[in-house]
Amino acid sequence: NAGVTQTPKFRILKIGQSMTLQCTQDMNHNYMYWYRQDPGMGLKLIYYSVGAGITDKGEVPNGYNVSRSTTEDFPLRLELAAPSQTSVYFCQTRDREKGELFFGEGSRLTVL
Amino acid sequence: AQRVTQPEKLLSVFKGAPVELKCNYSYSGSPELFWYVQYSRQRLQLLLRHISRESIKGFTADLNKGETSFHLKKPFAQEEDSAMYYCALSNQGGKLIFGQGTELSVKP
């Protein structure tokens, strides 16, 4: 039982490049989230999904896209990387019944 | 708009002193509120949720709809309570947002 698997752990991008952060879970949770965490700013919600085929914007969605074709996978896409997207990104699932959160290890992204 | 505010970035108390970590929210519907804790080098874990009305590790939190607050309290702080604490709000559609977090430091 792997929980939430998030890749890559580290990535350096040049301005204008694109990339996808992968997130996979094996707990059959319907609720999945992508957050970014900047120093002193807490967790900001980028996008979330309450089930396969359903996604919705969070607090800071600009510059990102997501898809949810299966319950297990919730990739986050950066189309044109910008320095403002330098951050640590966390994928998360939530057990709707108990309120428990399950986080991926985080992905540290630097855009130069 | 859905918003969570934790006004204190850092709260420092002595062991045995009472602790109150403040959380105010903005939401027009019926919110579901949580407190999460992150100990050093560990992942976020659930501490409390308002619908369960439990006391975990001596912490309690009461939802005050009139003041739109969900403050976290403990009568006697312990050194092992030192951690980052995040208040979070979920709407009925599943959206979950966090406050900025409060670092609690309990000194011996």
Side-chain angles (χ1 to χ4, degrees), chain A residues 31 33 35 37 42-43 45 48 50 92 94 96-99 101 103 105, chain B residues 9 32 34 36 43-44 46 49 86 90 93-100:
Chain A
Y31 286 31
Y33 305 84
Y35 293 89
Q37 187 172 34
L43 290 159
L45 179 63
Y48 68 105
V50 298
Q92 172 200 309
R94 179 157 71 115
R96 183 70 177 93
E97 295 293 317
K98 298 175 184 174
L101 298 180
F103 279 90
E105 298 274 351
Chain B
K9 276 193 171 180
E32 192 172 359
F34 306 83
Y36 291 92
R43 302 186 186 188
L44 268 175
L46 177 66
R49 56 191 309 197
Y86 293 93
S90 178
K95 186 176 183 180
L96 179 68
I97 64 168
F98 288 83
Q100 301 95 315

PDB file of all heavy atoms in Angstrom, chain A residues 31 33 35 37 42-43 45 48 50 92 94 96-99 101 103 105, chain B residues 9 32 34 36 43-44 46 49 86 90 93-100:
ATOM      1  N   TYR A  31     -11.455  12.230  -3.327  1.00  0.00           N
ATOM      2  CA  TYR A  31     -11.005  13.629  -3.216  1.00  0.00           C
ATOM      3  C   TYR A  31      -9.495  13.720  -3.375  1.00  0.00           C
ATOM      4  O   TYR A  31      -8.744  13.094  -2.621  1.00  0.00           O
ATOM      5  CB  TYR A  31     -11.396  14.210  -1.855  1.00  0.00           C
ATOM      6  CG  TYR A  31     -12.856  14.528  -1.693  1.00  0.00           C
ATOM      7  CD1 TYR A  31     -13.841  13.806  -2.332  1.00  0.00           C
ATOM      8  CD2 TYR A  31     -13.251  15.583  -0.884  1.00  0.00           C
ATOM      9  CE1 TYR A  31     -15.180  14.109  -2.179  1.00  0.00           C
ATOM     10  CE2 TYR A  31     -14.595  15.907  -0.725  1.00  0.00           C
ATOM     11  CZ  TYR A  31     -15.549  15.160  -1.368  1.00  0.00           C
ATOM     12  OH  TYR A  31     -16.869  15.480  -1.221  1.00  0.00           O
ATOM     13  N   TYR A  33      -6.225  16.682  -4.376  1.00  0.00           N
ATOM     14  CA  TYR A  33      -5.912  18.112  -4.381  1.00  0.00           C
ATOM     15  C   TYR A  33      -4.460  18.333  -4.803  1.00  0.00           C
ATOM     16  O   TYR A  33      -3.589  17.510  -4.540  1.00  0.00           O
ATOM     17  CB  TYR A  33      -6.081  18.699  -2.969  1.00  0.00           C
ATOM     18  CG  TYR A  33      -7.428  18.476  -2.336  1.00  0.00           C
ATOM     19  CD1 TYR A  33      -7.710  17.285  -1.670  1.00  0.00           C
ATOM     20  CD2 TYR A  33      -8.416  19.462  -2.381  1.00  0.00           C
ATOM     21  CE1 TYR A  33      -8.944  17.078  -1.076  1.00  0.00           C
ATOM     22  CE2 TYR A  33      -9.651  19.252  -1.779  1.00  0.00           C
ATOM     23  CZ  TYR A  33      -9.909  18.063  -1.142  1.00  0.00           C
ATOM     24  OH  TYR A  33     -11.133  17.861  -0.557  1.00  0.00           O
ATOM     25  N   TYR A  35      -1.659  21.398  -4.080  1.00  0.00           N
ATOM     26  CA  TYR A  35      -1.336  22.631  -3.372  1.00  0.00           C
ATOM     27  C   TYR A  35       0.083  23.050  -3.728  1.00  0.00           C
ATOM     28  O   TYR A  35       0.920  22.228  -4.068  1.00  0.00           O
ATOM     29  CB  TYR A  35      -1.393  22.436  -1.850  1.00  0.00           C
ATOM     30  CG  TYR A  35      -2.773  22.177  -1.306  1.00  0.00           C
ATOM     31  CD1 TYR A  35      -3.264  20.879  -1.211  1.00  0.00           C
ATOM     32  CD2 TYR A  35      -3.576  23.213  -0.871  1.00  0.00           C
ATOM     33  CE1 TYR A  35      -4.528  20.639  -0.705  1.00  0.00           C
ATOM     34  CE2 TYR A  35      -4.842  22.978  -0.358  1.00  0.00           C
ATOM     35  CZ  TYR A  35      -5.302  21.689  -0.285  1.00  0.00           C
ATOM     36  OH  TYR A  35      -6.559  21.446   0.212  1.00  0.00           O
ATOM     37  N   GLN A  37       3.218  25.308  -1.807  1.00  0.00           N
ATOM     38  CA  GLN A  37       3.598  25.891  -0.515  1.00  0.00           C
ATOM     39  C   GLN A  37       4.810  26.762  -0.712  1.00  0.00           C
ATOM     40  O   GLN A  37       5.882  26.299  -1.082  1.00  0.00           O
ATOM     41  CB  GLN A  37       3.899  24.793   0.514  1.00  0.00           C
ATOM     42  CG  GLN A  37       4.143  25.331   1.913  1.00  0.00           C
ATOM     43  CD  GLN A  37       4.239  24.231   2.947  1.00  0.00           C
ATOM     44  OE1 GLN A  37       4.722  23.147   2.670  1.00  0.00           O
ATOM     45  NE2 GLN A  37       3.762  24.508   4.154  1.00  0.00           N
ATOM     46  N   GLY A  42       1.889  29.264   3.782  1.00  0.00           N
ATOM     47  CA  GLY A  42       0.990  28.139   3.970  1.00  0.00           C
ATOM     48  C   GLY A  42       0.727  27.406   2.674  1.00  0.00           C
ATOM     49  O   GLY A  42       1.460  27.532   1.696  1.00  0.00           O
ATOM     50  N   LEU A  43      -0.346  26.654   2.652  1.00  0.00           N
ATOM     51  CA  LEU A  43      -0.715  25.843   1.493  1.00  0.00           C
ATOM     52  C   LEU A  43      -1.785  26.577   0.687  1.00  0.00           C
ATOM     53  O   LEU A  43      -2.827  26.949   1.223  1.00  0.00           O
ATOM     54  CB  LEU A  43      -1.259  24.494   1.955  1.00  0.00           C
ATOM     55  CG  LEU A  43      -0.254  23.529   2.566  1.00  0.00           C
ATOM     56  CD1 LEU A  43      -0.956  22.490   3.420  1.00  0.00           C
ATOM     57  CD2 LEU A  43       0.563  22.851   1.482  1.00  0.00           C
ATOM     58  N   LEU A  45      -4.344  26.244  -2.523  1.00  0.00           N
ATOM     59  CA  LEU A  45      -4.999  25.251  -3.358  1.00  0.00           C
ATOM     60  C   LEU A  45      -4.961  25.674  -4.819  1.00  0.00           C
ATOM     61  O   LEU A  45      -5.398  26.771  -5.167  1.00  0.00           O
ATOM     62  CB  LEU A  45      -6.447  25.067  -2.897  1.00  0.00           C
ATOM     63  CG  LEU A  45      -7.309  24.074  -3.671  1.00  0.00           C
ATOM     64  CD1 LEU A  45      -6.750  22.660  -3.542  1.00  0.00           C
ATOM     65  CD2 LEU A  45      -8.743  24.122  -3.158  1.00  0.00           C
ATOM     66  N   TYR A  48      -8.580  20.989  -7.547  1.00  0.00           N
ATOM     67  CA  TYR A  48      -9.008  19.827  -6.811  1.00  0.00           C
ATOM     68  C   TYR A  48      -9.992  19.011  -7.641  1.00  0.00           C
ATOM     69  O   TYR A  48     -10.510  19.492  -8.663  1.00  0.00           O
ATOM     70  CB  TYR A  48      -9.607  20.201  -5.451  1.00  0.00           C
ATOM     71  CG  TYR A  48     -10.925  20.941  -5.496  1.00  0.00           C
ATOM     72  CD1 TYR A  48     -12.116  20.298  -5.175  1.00  0.00           C
ATOM     73  CD2 TYR A  48     -10.979  22.299  -5.814  1.00  0.00           C
ATOM     74  CE1 TYR A  48     -13.319  20.978  -5.184  1.00  0.00           C
ATOM     75  CE2 TYR A  48     -12.178  22.979  -5.831  1.00  0.00           C
ATOM     76  CZ  TYR A  48     -13.351  22.326  -5.509  1.00  0.00           C
ATOM     77  OH  TYR A  48     -14.537  23.003  -5.531  1.00  0.00           O
ATOM     78  N   VAL A  50     -13.159  15.890  -7.066  1.00  0.00           N
ATOM     79  CA  VAL A  50     -13.961  15.089  -6.143  1.00  0.00           C
ATOM     80  C   VAL A  50     -14.311  13.734  -6.740  1.00  0.00           C
ATOM     81  O   VAL A  50     -15.095  12.980  -6.160  1.00  0.00           O
ATOM     82  CB  VAL A  50     -15.237  15.844  -5.696  1.00  0.00           C
ATOM     83  CG1 VAL A  50     -14.857  17.106  -4.939  1.00  0.00           C
ATOM     84  CG2 VAL A  50     -16.134  16.163  -6.878  1.00  0.00           C
ATOM     85  N   GLN A  92      -2.429  15.659  -2.651  1.00  0.00           N
ATOM     86  CA  GLN A  92      -3.069  15.214  -1.419  1.00  0.00           C
ATOM     87  C   GLN A  92      -4.366  14.506  -1.740  1.00  0.00           C
ATOM     88  O   GLN A  92      -5.077  14.886  -2.671  1.00  0.00           O
ATOM     89  CB  GLN A  92      -3.354  16.442  -0.565  1.00  0.00           C
ATOM     90  CG  GLN A  92      -4.173  16.229   0.680  1.00  0.00           C
ATOM     91  CD  GLN A  92      -4.780  17.523   1.157  1.00  0.00           C
ATOM     92  OE1 GLN A  92      -4.085  18.521   1.312  1.00  0.00           O
ATOM     93  NE2 GLN A  92      -6.075  17.522   1.389  1.00  0.00           N
ATOM     94  N   ARG A  94      -7.967  12.938   0.293  1.00  0.00           N
ATOM     95  CA  ARG A  94      -8.695  13.090   1.557  1.00  0.00           C
ATOM     96  C   ARG A  94      -9.715  11.965   1.695  1.00  0.00           C
ATOM     97  O   ARG A  94     -10.459  11.669   0.756  1.00  0.00           O
ATOM     98  CB  ARG A  94      -9.392  14.450   1.611  1.00  0.00           C
ATOM     99  CG  ARG A  94     -10.197  14.681   2.890  1.00  0.00           C
ATOM    100  CD  ARG A  94     -10.388  16.137   3.164  1.00  0.00           C
ATOM    101  NE  ARG A  94     -11.291  16.802   2.255  1.00  0.00           N
ATOM    102  CZ  ARG A  94     -12.465  17.332   2.601  1.00  0.00           C
ATOM    103  NH1 ARG A  94     -12.903  17.197   3.827  1.00  0.00           N
ATOM    104  NH2 ARG A  94     -13.190  17.974   1.713  1.00  0.00           N
ATOM    105  N   ARG A  96     -12.977  11.243   2.827  1.00  0.00           N
ATOM    106  CA  ARG A  96     -14.131  12.104   3.053  1.00  0.00           C
ATOM    107  C   ARG A  96     -14.841  11.781   4.370  1.00  0.00           C
ATOM    108  O   ARG A  96     -15.327  12.654   5.067  1.00  0.00           O
ATOM    109  CB  ARG A  96     -15.116  11.952   1.882  1.00  0.00           C
ATOM    110  CG  ARG A  96     -16.332  12.852   1.977  1.00  0.00           C
ATOM    111  CD  ARG A  96     -15.973  14.299   1.754  1.00  0.00           C
ATOM    112  NE  ARG A  96     -17.130  15.163   1.770  1.00  0.00           N
ATOM    113  CZ  ARG A  96     -17.564  15.794   2.864  1.00  0.00           C
ATOM    114  NH1 ARG A  96     -16.929  15.647   4.005  1.00  0.00           N
ATOM    115  NH2 ARG A  96     -18.624  16.566   2.798  1.00  0.00           N
ATOM    116  N   GLU A  97     -14.851  10.483   4.730  1.00  0.00           N
ATOM    117  CA  GLU A  97     -15.566  10.082   5.941  1.00  0.00           C
ATOM    118  C   GLU A  97     -14.842  10.537   7.210  1.00  0.00           C
ATOM    119  O   GLU A  97     -15.443  11.060   8.135  1.00  0.00           O
ATOM    120  CB  GLU A  97     -15.727   8.557   5.975  1.00  0.00           C
ATOM    121  CG  GLU A  97     -16.591   7.998   4.862  1.00  0.00           C
ATOM    122  CD  GLU A  97     -18.037   8.430   5.007  1.00  0.00           C
ATOM    123  OE1 GLU A  97     -18.540   8.394   6.146  1.00  0.00           O
ATOM    124  OE2 GLU A  97     -18.644   8.825   4.005  1.00  0.00           O
ATOM    125  N   LYS A  98     -13.517  10.336   7.247  1.00  0.00           N
ATOM    126  CA  LYS A  98     -12.774  10.573   8.484  1.00  0.00           C
ATOM    127  C   LYS A  98     -12.067  11.933   8.516  1.00  0.00           C
ATOM    128  O   LYS A  98     -11.639  12.375   9.573  1.00  0.00           O
ATOM    129  CB  LYS A  98     -11.721   9.474   8.674  1.00  0.00           C
ATOM    130  CG  LYS A  98     -12.320   8.075   8.812  1.00  0.00           C
ATOM    131  CD  LYS A  98     -11.214   7.041   8.881  1.00  0.00           C
ATOM    132  CE  LYS A  98     -11.794   5.638   8.912  1.00  0.00           C
ATOM    133  NZ  LYS A  98     -10.736   4.599   8.848  1.00  0.00           N
ATOM    134  N   GLY A  99     -11.938  12.570   7.363  1.00  0.00           N
ATOM    135  CA  GLY A  99     -11.241  13.853   7.328  1.00  0.00           C
ATOM    136  C   GLY A  99      -9.736  13.729   7.250  1.00  0.00           C
ATOM    137  O   GLY A  99      -9.032  14.721   7.173  1.00  0.00           O
ATOM    138  N   LEU A 101      -6.028  13.371   5.920  1.00  0.00           N
ATOM    139  CA  LEU A 101      -5.339  13.767   4.711  1.00  0.00           C
ATOM    140  C   LEU A 101      -4.147  12.858   4.473  1.00  0.00           C
ATOM    141  O   LEU A 101      -3.510  12.411   5.424  1.00  0.00           O
ATOM    142  CB  LEU A 101      -4.826  15.202   4.822  1.00  0.00           C
ATOM    143  CG  LEU A 101      -5.856  16.298   5.005  1.00  0.00           C
ATOM    144  CD1 LEU A 101      -5.152  17.640   5.103  1.00  0.00           C
ATOM    145  CD2 LEU A 101      -6.853  16.302   3.872  1.00  0.00           C
ATOM    146  N   PHE A 103      -0.685  12.986   2.145  1.00  0.00           N
ATOM    147  CA  PHE A 103       0.123  13.826   1.281  1.00  0.00           C
ATOM    148  C   PHE A 103       1.169  13.013   0.544  1.00  0.00           C
ATOM    149  O   PHE A 103       1.721  12.042   1.072  1.00  0.00           O
ATOM    150  CB  PHE A 103       0.862  14.887   2.107  1.00  0.00           C
ATOM    151  CG  PHE A 103       0.023  16.070   2.454  1.00  0.00           C
ATOM    152  CD1 PHE A 103      -0.723  16.083   3.617  1.00  0.00           C
ATOM    153  CD2 PHE A 103      -0.025  17.178   1.634  1.00  0.00           C
ATOM    154  CE1 PHE A 103      -1.506  17.185   3.954  1.00  0.00           C
ATOM    155  CE2 PHE A 103      -0.789  18.279   1.957  1.00  0.00           C
ATOM    156  CZ  PHE A 103      -1.530  18.283   3.124  1.00  0.00           C
ATOM    157  N   GLU A 105       5.066  13.190  -1.156  1.00  0.00           N
ATOM    158  CA  GLU A 105       6.324  13.659  -0.557  1.00  0.00           C
ATOM    159  C   GLU A 105       6.622  15.110  -0.913  1.00  0.00           C
ATOM    160  O   GLU A 105       7.444  15.741  -0.275  1.00  0.00           O
ATOM    161  CB  GLU A 105       7.482  12.794  -1.031  1.00  0.00           C
ATOM    162  CG  GLU A 105       7.396  11.336  -0.643  1.00  0.00           C
ATOM    163  CD  GLU A 105       7.982  11.091   0.735  1.00  0.00           C
ATOM    164  OE1 GLU A 105       8.595  12.002   1.305  1.00  0.00           O
ATOM    165  OE2 GLU A 105       7.828   9.963   1.244  1.00  0.00           O
TER     166      GLU A 105
ATOM    167  N   LYS B   9       1.505  34.198  13.188  1.00  0.00           N
ATOM    168  CA  LYS B   9       2.474  33.316  12.522  1.00  0.00           C
ATOM    169  C   LYS B   9       3.209  32.473  13.550  1.00  0.00           C
ATOM    170  O   LYS B   9       3.556  31.325  13.306  1.00  0.00           O
ATOM    171  CB  LYS B   9       3.480  34.140  11.717  1.00  0.00           C
ATOM    172  CG  LYS B   9       3.014  34.522  10.353  1.00  0.00           C
ATOM    173  CD  LYS B   9       4.165  35.038   9.509  1.00  0.00           C
ATOM    174  CE  LYS B   9       3.718  35.220   8.075  1.00  0.00           C
ATOM    175  NZ  LYS B   9       4.798  35.724   7.228  1.00  0.00           N
ATOM    176  N   GLU B  32     -17.226  22.910   6.970  1.00  0.00           N
ATOM    177  CA  GLU B  32     -16.654  21.837   7.763  1.00  0.00           C
ATOM    178  C   GLU B  32     -15.240  22.302   8.117  1.00  0.00           C
ATOM    179  O   GLU B  32     -14.463  22.658   7.231  1.00  0.00           O
ATOM    180  CB  GLU B  32     -16.604  20.540   6.962  1.00  0.00           C
ATOM    181  CG  GLU B  32     -16.289  19.331   7.793  1.00  0.00           C
ATOM    182  CD  GLU B  32     -16.428  18.027   7.018  1.00  0.00           C
ATOM    183  OE1 GLU B  32     -16.802  18.079   5.828  1.00  0.00           O
ATOM    184  OE2 GLU B  32     -16.145  16.972   7.600  1.00  0.00           O
ATOM    185  N   PHE B  34     -11.483  22.051  10.272  1.00  0.00           N
ATOM    186  CA  PHE B  34     -10.479  21.106  10.729  1.00  0.00           C
ATOM    187  C   PHE B  34      -9.287  21.843  11.329  1.00  0.00           C
ATOM    188  O   PHE B  34      -8.997  22.977  10.948  1.00  0.00           O
ATOM    189  CB  PHE B  34      -9.921  20.273   9.556  1.00  0.00           C
ATOM    190  CG  PHE B  34     -10.951  19.573   8.725  1.00  0.00           C
ATOM    191  CD1 PHE B  34     -11.612  20.236   7.702  1.00  0.00           C
ATOM    192  CD2 PHE B  34     -11.249  18.237   8.951  1.00  0.00           C
ATOM    193  CE1 PHE B  34     -12.554  19.579   6.912  1.00  0.00           C
ATOM    194  CE2 PHE B  34     -12.187  17.574   8.171  1.00  0.00           C
ATOM    195  CZ  PHE B  34     -12.833  18.255   7.156  1.00  0.00           C
ATOM    196  N   TYR B  36      -5.211  20.798  11.561  1.00  0.00           N
ATOM    197  CA  TYR B  36      -4.173  19.837  11.216  1.00  0.00           C
ATOM    198  C   TYR B  36      -2.884  20.267  11.888  1.00  0.00           C
ATOM    199  O   TYR B  36      -2.637  21.459  12.082  1.00  0.00           O
ATOM    200  CB  TYR B  36      -3.968  19.768   9.702  1.00  0.00           C
ATOM    201  CG  TYR B  36      -5.134  19.153   8.968  1.00  0.00           C
ATOM    202  CD1 TYR B  36      -6.154  19.944   8.462  1.00  0.00           C
ATOM    203  CD2 TYR B  36      -5.226  17.772   8.797  1.00  0.00           C
ATOM    204  CE1 TYR B  36      -7.235  19.390   7.798  1.00  0.00           C
ATOM    205  CE2 TYR B  36      -6.306  17.197   8.137  1.00  0.00           C
ATOM    206  CZ  TYR B  36      -7.306  18.016   7.643  1.00  0.00           C
ATOM    207  OH  TYR B  36      -8.380  17.465   7.001  1.00  0.00           O
ATOM    208  N   ARG B  43       4.634  14.668   8.087  1.00  0.00           N
ATOM    209  CA  ARG B  43       3.568  15.160   7.228  1.00  0.00           C
ATOM    210  C   ARG B  43       2.428  15.730   8.074  1.00  0.00           C
ATOM    211  O   ARG B  43       2.318  15.451   9.261  1.00  0.00           O
ATOM    212  CB  ARG B  43       3.036  14.038   6.350  1.00  0.00           C
ATOM    213  CG  ARG B  43       4.087  13.398   5.482  1.00  0.00           C
ATOM    214  CD  ARG B  43       3.476  12.404   4.528  1.00  0.00           C
ATOM    215  NE  ARG B  43       4.508  11.676   3.792  1.00  0.00           N
ATOM    216  CZ  ARG B  43       4.255  10.861   2.783  1.00  0.00           C
ATOM    217  NH1 ARG B  43       3.027  10.675   2.378  1.00  0.00           N
ATOM    218  NH2 ARG B  43       5.237  10.236   2.169  1.00  0.00           N
ATOM    219  N   LEU B  44       1.596  16.484   7.415  1.00  0.00           N
ATOM    220  CA  LEU B  44       0.389  16.995   8.073  1.00  0.00           C
ATOM    221  C   LEU B  44      -0.490  15.840   8.544  1.00  0.00           C
ATOM    222  O   LEU B  44      -0.679  14.862   7.817  1.00  0.00           O
ATOM    223  CB  LEU B  44      -0.427  17.842   7.105  1.00  0.00           C
ATOM    224  CG  LEU B  44      -0.171  19.334   7.059  1.00  0.00           C
ATOM    225  CD1 LEU B  44      -1.003  19.970   5.960  1.00  0.00           C
ATOM    226  CD2 LEU B  44      -0.521  19.969   8.386  1.00  0.00           C
ATOM    227  N   LEU B  46      -4.295  14.973  10.792  1.00  0.00           N
ATOM    228  CA  LEU B  46      -5.525  15.521  11.341  1.00  0.00           C
ATOM    229  C   LEU B  46      -5.455  15.567  12.858  1.00  0.00           C
ATOM    230  O   LEU B  46      -5.098  14.585  13.505  1.00  0.00           O
ATOM    231  CB  LEU B  46      -6.710  14.654  10.899  1.00  0.00           C
ATOM    232  CG  LEU B  46      -8.076  15.049  11.434  1.00  0.00           C
ATOM    233  CD1 LEU B  46      -8.508  16.400  10.885  1.00  0.00           C
ATOM    234  CD2 LEU B  46      -9.106  13.973  11.109  1.00  0.00           C
ATOM    235  N   ARG B  49     -11.677  17.679  14.003  1.00  0.00           N
ATOM    236  CA  ARG B  49     -12.658  18.190  13.057  1.00  0.00           C
ATOM    237  C   ARG B  49     -13.879  18.598  13.859  1.00  0.00           C
ATOM    238  O   ARG B  49     -14.200  17.942  14.861  1.00  0.00           O
ATOM    239  CB  ARG B  49     -13.008  17.173  11.983  1.00  0.00           C
ATOM    240  CG  ARG B  49     -13.511  15.862  12.504  1.00  0.00           C
ATOM    241  CD  ARG B  49     -13.602  14.798  11.447  1.00  0.00           C
ATOM    242  NE  ARG B  49     -14.310  15.179  10.246  1.00  0.00           N
ATOM    243  CZ  ARG B  49     -14.777  14.308   9.353  1.00  0.00           C
ATOM    244  NH1 ARG B  49     -14.624  13.021   9.562  1.00  0.00           N
ATOM    245  NH2 ARG B  49     -15.380  14.713   8.262  1.00  0.00           N
ATOM    246  N   TYR B  86      -2.358  24.132  11.363  1.00  0.00           N
ATOM    247  CA  TYR B  86      -3.101  24.702  10.242  1.00  0.00           C
ATOM    248  C   TYR B  86      -4.599  24.505  10.466  1.00  0.00           C
ATOM    249  O   TYR B  86      -5.059  23.391  10.727  1.00  0.00           O
ATOM    250  CB  TYR B  86      -2.725  24.035   8.924  1.00  0.00           C
ATOM    251  CG  TYR B  86      -1.321  24.292   8.467  1.00  0.00           C
ATOM    252  CD1 TYR B  86      -0.284  23.427   8.789  1.00  0.00           C
ATOM    253  CD2 TYR B  86      -1.021  25.416   7.692  1.00  0.00           C
ATOM    254  CE1 TYR B  86       1.011  23.667   8.369  1.00  0.00           C
ATOM    255  CE2 TYR B  86       0.268  25.659   7.250  1.00  0.00           C
ATOM    256  CZ  TYR B  86       1.278  24.777   7.597  1.00  0.00           C
ATOM    257  OH  TYR B  86       2.559  25.020   7.164  1.00  0.00           O
ATOM    258  N   SER B  90     -13.550  23.205   4.646  1.00  0.00           N
ATOM    259  CA  SER B  90     -14.052  22.525   3.459  1.00  0.00           C
ATOM    260  C   SER B  90     -15.504  22.906   3.243  1.00  0.00           C
ATOM    261  O   SER B  90     -16.280  22.991   4.197  1.00  0.00           O
ATOM    262  CB  SER B  90     -13.951  21.009   3.634  1.00  0.00           C
ATOM    263  OG  SER B  90     -14.491  20.346   2.500  1.00  0.00           O
ATOM    264  N   GLY B  93     -18.872  21.034  -1.419  1.00  0.00           N
ATOM    265  CA  GLY B  93     -18.427  20.534  -2.715  1.00  0.00           C
ATOM    266  C   GLY B  93     -17.066  19.884  -2.682  1.00  0.00           C
ATOM    267  O   GLY B  93     -16.560  19.439  -3.705  1.00  0.00           O
ATOM    268  N   GLY B  94     -16.443  19.845  -1.513  1.00  0.00           N
ATOM    269  CA  GLY B  94     -15.164  19.157  -1.374  1.00  0.00           C
ATOM    270  C   GLY B  94     -13.944  20.054  -1.425  1.00  0.00           C
ATOM    271  O   GLY B  94     -12.826  19.611  -1.174  1.00  0.00           O
ATOM    272  N   LYS B  95     -14.121  21.317  -1.753  1.00  0.00           N
ATOM    273  CA  LYS B  95     -12.983  22.247  -1.794  1.00  0.00           C
ATOM    274  C   LYS B  95     -12.417  22.396  -0.394  1.00  0.00           C
ATOM    275  O   LYS B  95     -13.156  22.585   0.565  1.00  0.00           O
ATOM    276  CB  LYS B  95     -13.459  23.597  -2.321  1.00  0.00           C
ATOM    277  CG  LYS B  95     -12.361  24.613  -2.546  1.00  0.00           C
ATOM    278  CD  LYS B  95     -12.967  25.872  -3.162  1.00  0.00           C
ATOM    279  CE  LYS B  95     -11.922  26.894  -3.478  1.00  0.00           C
ATOM    280  NZ  LYS B  95     -12.519  28.123  -4.082  1.00  0.00           N
ATOM    281  N   LEU B  96     -11.109  22.301  -0.248  1.00  0.00           N
ATOM    282  CA  LEU B  96     -10.457  22.368   1.057  1.00  0.00           C
ATOM    283  C   LEU B  96      -9.348  23.401   1.003  1.00  0.00           C
ATOM    284  O   LEU B  96      -8.398  23.263   0.241  1.00  0.00           O
ATOM    285  CB  LEU B  96      -9.873  21.000   1.425  1.00  0.00           C
ATOM    286  CG  LEU B  96      -9.128  20.884   2.752  1.00  0.00           C
ATOM    287  CD1 LEU B  96     -10.087  21.047   3.923  1.00  0.00           C
ATOM    288  CD2 LEU B  96      -8.407  19.544   2.852  1.00  0.00           C
ATOM    289  N   ILE B  97      -9.469  24.439   1.825  1.00  0.00           N
ATOM    290  CA  ILE B  97      -8.425  25.452   1.851  1.00  0.00           C
ATOM    291  C   ILE B  97      -7.881  25.604   3.264  1.00  0.00           C
ATOM    292  O   ILE B  97      -8.565  25.310   4.241  1.00  0.00           O
ATOM    293  CB  ILE B  97      -8.899  26.816   1.313  1.00  0.00           C
ATOM    294  CG1 ILE B  97      -9.992  27.404   2.192  1.00  0.00           C
ATOM    295  CG2 ILE B  97      -9.383  26.689  -0.123  1.00  0.00           C
ATOM    296  CD1 ILE B  97     -10.288  28.847   1.869  1.00  0.00           C
ATOM    297  N   PHE B  98      -6.628  26.065   3.332  1.00  0.00           N
ATOM    298  CA  PHE B  98      -5.916  26.165   4.594  1.00  0.00           C
ATOM    299  C   PHE B  98      -5.634  27.616   4.957  1.00  0.00           C
ATOM    300  O   PHE B  98      -5.504  28.479   4.083  1.00  0.00           O
ATOM    301  CB  PHE B  98      -4.566  25.442   4.482  1.00  0.00           C
ATOM    302  CG  PHE B  98      -4.664  23.947   4.431  1.00  0.00           C
ATOM    303  CD1 PHE B  98      -4.922  23.306   3.236  1.00  0.00           C
ATOM    304  CD2 PHE B  98      -4.496  23.188   5.568  1.00  0.00           C
ATOM    305  CE1 PHE B  98      -5.017  21.922   3.172  1.00  0.00           C
ATOM    306  CE2 PHE B  98      -4.587  21.811   5.528  1.00  0.00           C
ATOM    307  CZ  PHE B  98      -4.844  21.173   4.326  1.00  0.00           C
ATOM    308  N   GLY B  99      -5.503  27.854   6.251  1.00  0.00           N
ATOM    309  CA  GLY B  99      -4.949  29.104   6.713  1.00  0.00           C
ATOM    310  C   GLY B  99      -3.438  29.094   6.526  1.00  0.00           C
ATOM    311  O   GLY B  99      -2.853  28.110   6.075  1.00  0.00           O
ATOM    312  N   GLN B 100      -2.826  30.208   6.895  1.00  0.00           N
ATOM    313  CA  GLN B 100      -1.390  30.357   6.668  1.00  0.00           C
ATOM    314  C   GLN B 100      -0.548  29.529   7.640  1.00  0.00           C
ATOM    315  O   GLN B 100       0.643  29.339   7.440  1.00  0.00           O
ATOM    316  CB  GLN B 100      -0.985  31.831   6.791  1.00  0.00           C
ATOM    317  CG  GLN B 100      -1.711  32.742   5.817  1.00  0.00           C
ATOM    318  CD  GLN B 100      -2.936  33.371   6.453  1.00  0.00           C
ATOM    319  OE1 GLN B 100      -3.727  32.695   7.135  1.00  0.00           O
ATOM    320  NE2 GLN B 100      -3.145  34.652   6.257  1.00  0.00           N
TER     321      GLN B 100
END
